[in-house]
Amino acid sequence: MRNLVIGAVLVGLIVLAALISFLWTPFDPTQVDAALRLQGPSGAHWLGTDRFGRDLVSQLMVGARTTLYVGVVAVGVAAVIGTPLGVFAAAGPRWLGEIVLRANDIMLAFPALLLAIMFGAAFGASTLTAMVAIGIATVPSFARLARGSALQVLNTEYVLAARSAGRTGLAISVRHVLPNIAGLIIVQCSVSFGIAVLAEAALSYLGLGTQPPTPSWGRMLQESQELLAVQPRLLIVPGVAIALAVLGFTLLGDGLRDRFDPRLEGHRAQG
Amino acid sequence: MIKVENLSRVYRRSRTSPLRPRAEVHALRDVSFEIEAGRRFGIVGESGSGKSTLVRLIAGLDQPTAGAVTFDGQRVDGRSERRLSFLRRDLQVVFQDPTGSLDPRMRVRDIIAEPLVAQRIPGQAERVAELLAAVGLPADAGRRFPHQFSGGQRQRISLARALAPKPRVLVADEPVSALDVSVRAQILNLLSDLVEQFALTLVFVSHDLSVVRHVCDTVAVLRSGELVEIGDVEQVYREPRHPYTRQLVQAAPTLRGALSGVTAADLISERKRP
């Protein structure tokens, strides 16, 4: 329960910052001003400015948008492809399921970052290629989870009862398997969201993700790395933001896991 | 009505060594019998005797290794699920575990309506209300989820689902063995009443011969996958021919008496007496 609350608060803050940034930011996050470069925190610039004189708070707020955008698309791609694939591997014909499973294992062994770098080289570096690559690289973990939990559901007596009621393959997958694995999938989404945020930061840091002038937490790190010794603030601020985002989504996932356990649900309803 | 001919089912264990062949488990060996319409047919045997395998084969939920199952002259085995609609309409199953056989994420009304939805039978809402009343559940039970009910009530939900498509045959696989002793009699009585009310053919599976004796008129005794005795339940109970049946007759009441002091069968006979 505590995990859920802390996770929800952290994620809520990021969402709030991103939403507000559409309407208002303290300064234009892309406005360069040589006179204001490398200023420390002050009344006007709460977290100071970077080496181009851009306001850090404004960049963080707009960067939150990029972070959420990346997470939603990457996790969306992974869940929408991975979940049906996993359920099919469990419920479909055995030999086909076996093929899906082996292909999945090969994909699982393939590093996400390498895939993203290849995508970047092939399709040009951008936020979209980065998140699609991260999404595709995350498909196997969804497929594996979906298959494992679908197999469990398919072995239950209520699926047997559904078959004796006259339900066939697809209807069982849609009516019984998906609702019963949805909780686990949502948990996986939350955890993967954190991983995607981190991956986007890493890619942007490498110059393969979000391109200037769009602010991104990963790029904020990259642009300031030479100033690590002189102005550690410039790295600590986006670093902490990334860490809190990953922590928030992971805690949210953990909290949701407890929430979605059907056995615990029974106790709550009675209690 | 239901005919089982030379039915065998062999399960193959997963390999323990690449050199040795896979171990085989004979769940059923060459079982043959016939169930006539209107009968209350009991199947008795200890755990591992092949009762549940037999039920699954009769209900078309598993494929036999050898032999045939026919329902009203139509082969049940070897058919795809889509071509079993004749069986799904006329034969329904109540499973043993009242928790495991109900989808925790479905509302009770959707659970009961599932055979109707699957078989595209219209008039679902009225039928569900009718069934809730028939099995003695409150009318508002449909809106709730299975975990909000007790074991006995859940088995009532299971019964309602099985009766939904107006089947002619009801197969009950150990319907009370997961329930408290105090609730067993209620569910058994309800089952008996419903079978009578809707003129159903009953296939009743149990490990407890004394329960079968009170519910059924015919009994088949299974042991290690083989049919050892079949006949009128009173006759089998009084004059068991096979030594294994004799063991069952002797063991059941004394063991139950020792464990709980009173058997479900006793409770039924108490109700029937006045």
Side-chain angles (χ1 to χ4, degrees), chain A residues 98-262:
Chain A
E98 212 46 46
I99 292 174
V100 170
L101 200 63
R102 294 300 149 236
N104 202 47
D105 283 346
I106 293 169
M107 279 290 292
L108 203 59
F110 206 81
L113 227 48
L114 190 58
L115 190 74
I117 292 168
M118 282 167 57
F119 263 57
F123 304 110
S126 76
T127 316
L128 189 72
T129 35
M131 57 201 184
V132 170
I134 296 166
I136 290 173
T138 318
V139 164
S141 63
F142 274 89
R144 200 144 88 150
L145 176 79
R147 178 180 169 271
S149 37
L151 279 178
Q152 251 174 25
V153 173
L154 288 169
N155 264 324
T156 58
E157 238 178 21
Y158 59 80
V159 166
L160 207 61
R163 284 176 58 206
S164 80
R167 290 274 199 209
T168 47
L170 188 63
I172 288 177
S173 291
V174 174
R175 303 263 169 177
H176 295 284
V177 176
L178 283 180
N180 279 288
I181 68 170
L184 284 170
I185 297 294
I186 289 170
V187 172
Q188 181 73 14
C189 282
S190 186
V191 174
S192 301
F193 209 107
I195 297 171
V197 167
L198 202 59
E200 192 276 336
L203 285 172
S204 297
Y205 180 82
L206 294 171
L208 288 163
T210 310
Q211 297 301 305
T214 313
S216 135
W217 296 350
R219 265 216 13 270
M220 289 169 75
L221 277 178
Q222 182 222 353
E223 284 166 358
S224 318
Q225 60 171 318
E226 294 146 39
L227 301 168
L228 176 62
V230 206
Q231 290 274 354
R233 170 181 55 90
L234 293 179
L235 288 107
I236 290 171
V237 167
V240 167
I242 293 166
L244 286 180
V246 174
L247 185 70
F249 281 108
T250 310
L251 286 179
L252 187 67
D254 253 14
L256 287 174
R257 195 195 317 269
D258 297 342
R259 207 73 222 196
F260 275 111
D261 194 319

Side-chain angles (χ1 to χ4, degrees), chain B:
Chain B
M1 180 168 228
I2 299 171
K3 206 167 165 190
V4 168
E5 289 166 285
N6 308 105
L7 205 60
S8 294
R9 178 69 169 97
V10 180
Y11 290 106
R12 299 179 73 192
R13 290 233 177 95
S14 47
R15 264 174 208 282
T16 48
S17 144
L19 301 175
R20 256 174 280 162
R22 297 168 69 162
E24 293 185 338
V25 180
H26 293 262
L28 278 182
R29 299 169 199 251
D30 204 21
V31 172
S32 303
F33 58 79
E34 199 173 342
I35 304 173
E36 291 160 31
R39 286 264 165 222
R40 294 163 162 232
F41 191 91
I43 300 171
V44 173
E46 57 197 4
S47 53
S49 61
K51 295 170 300 190
S52 290
T53 305
L54 187 54
V55 164
R56 285 177 190 209
L57 289 172
I58 290 175
L61 297 170
D62 189 14
Q63 294 299 329
T65 312
V69 180
T70 49
F71 181 85
D72 270 350
Q74 282 183 282
R75 279 288 281 269
V76 170
D77 59 286
R79 266 178 204 260
S80 71
E81 301 244 330
R82 277 172 213 291
R83 295 180 55 228
L84 275 172
S85 53
F86 72 97
L87 185 74
R88 301 291 181 233
R89 192 167 45 249
D90 281 339
L91 181 143
Q92 283 290 312
V93 187
V94 174
F95 291 91
Q96 173 174 3
D97 180 357
T99 307
S101 62
L102 305 176
D103 188 335
R105 304 221 165 269
M106 276 172 101
R107 287 179 199 280
V108 168
R109 59 163 178 253
D110 297 322
I111 291 174
I112 295 175
E114 186 159 41
L116 304 175
V117 176
Q119 299 175 25
R120 298 192 180 81
I121 302 171
Q124 287 153 12
E126 302 87 70
R127 183 74 183 135
V128 168
E130 214 173 284
L131 288 160
L132 283 173
V135 298
L137 284 171
D140 69 340
R143 279 186 285 115
R144 289 188 265 162
F145 288 94
H147 62 71
Q148 293 170 290
F149 295 88
S150 68
Q153 287 175 314
R154 276 182 246 185
Q155 210 55 313
R156 287 174 195 264
I157 297 169
S158 242
L159 260 170
R161 169 175 58 188
L163 294 173
K166 300 188 176 163
R168 288 185 292 142
V169 182
L170 186 66
V171 178
D173 183 5
E174 300 254 19
V176 296
S177 53
L179 303 178
D180 288 345
V181 178
S182 55
V183 187
R184 286 183 186 181
Q186 287 176 22
I187 299 296
L188 283 175
N189 287 330
L190 175 68
L191 185 72
S192 282
D193 292 348
L194 291 170
V195 165
E196 203 165 291
Q197 194 184 334
F198 299 115
L200 301 171
T201 304
L202 177 70
V203 180
F204 185 92
V205 176
S206 178
H207 60 276
D208 189 339
L209 187 56
S210 58
V211 170
V212 168
R213 186 183 169 208
H214 281 274
V215 178
C216 303
D217 49 34
T218 314
V219 67
V221 182
L222 274 181
R223 185 203 186 188
S224 324
E226 284 178 88
L227 186 68
V228 297
E229 188 158 356
I230 185 166
D232 179 78
V233 72
E234 281 306 318
Q235 199 179 340
V236 169
Y237 197 79
R238 285 209 197 94
E239 303 157 25
R241 266 173 290 156
H242 193 278
Y244 176 68
T245 317
R246 262 200 292 280
Q247 259 179 32
L248 274 183
V249 171
Q250 282 162 3
T254 50
L255 185 63
R256 305 217 117 253
L259 285 177
S260 62
V262 65
T263 65
D266 287 339
L267 291 169
I268 297 172
S269 45
E270 262 169 45
R271 193 192 79 140
K272 279 186 179 164
R273 224 169 277 147

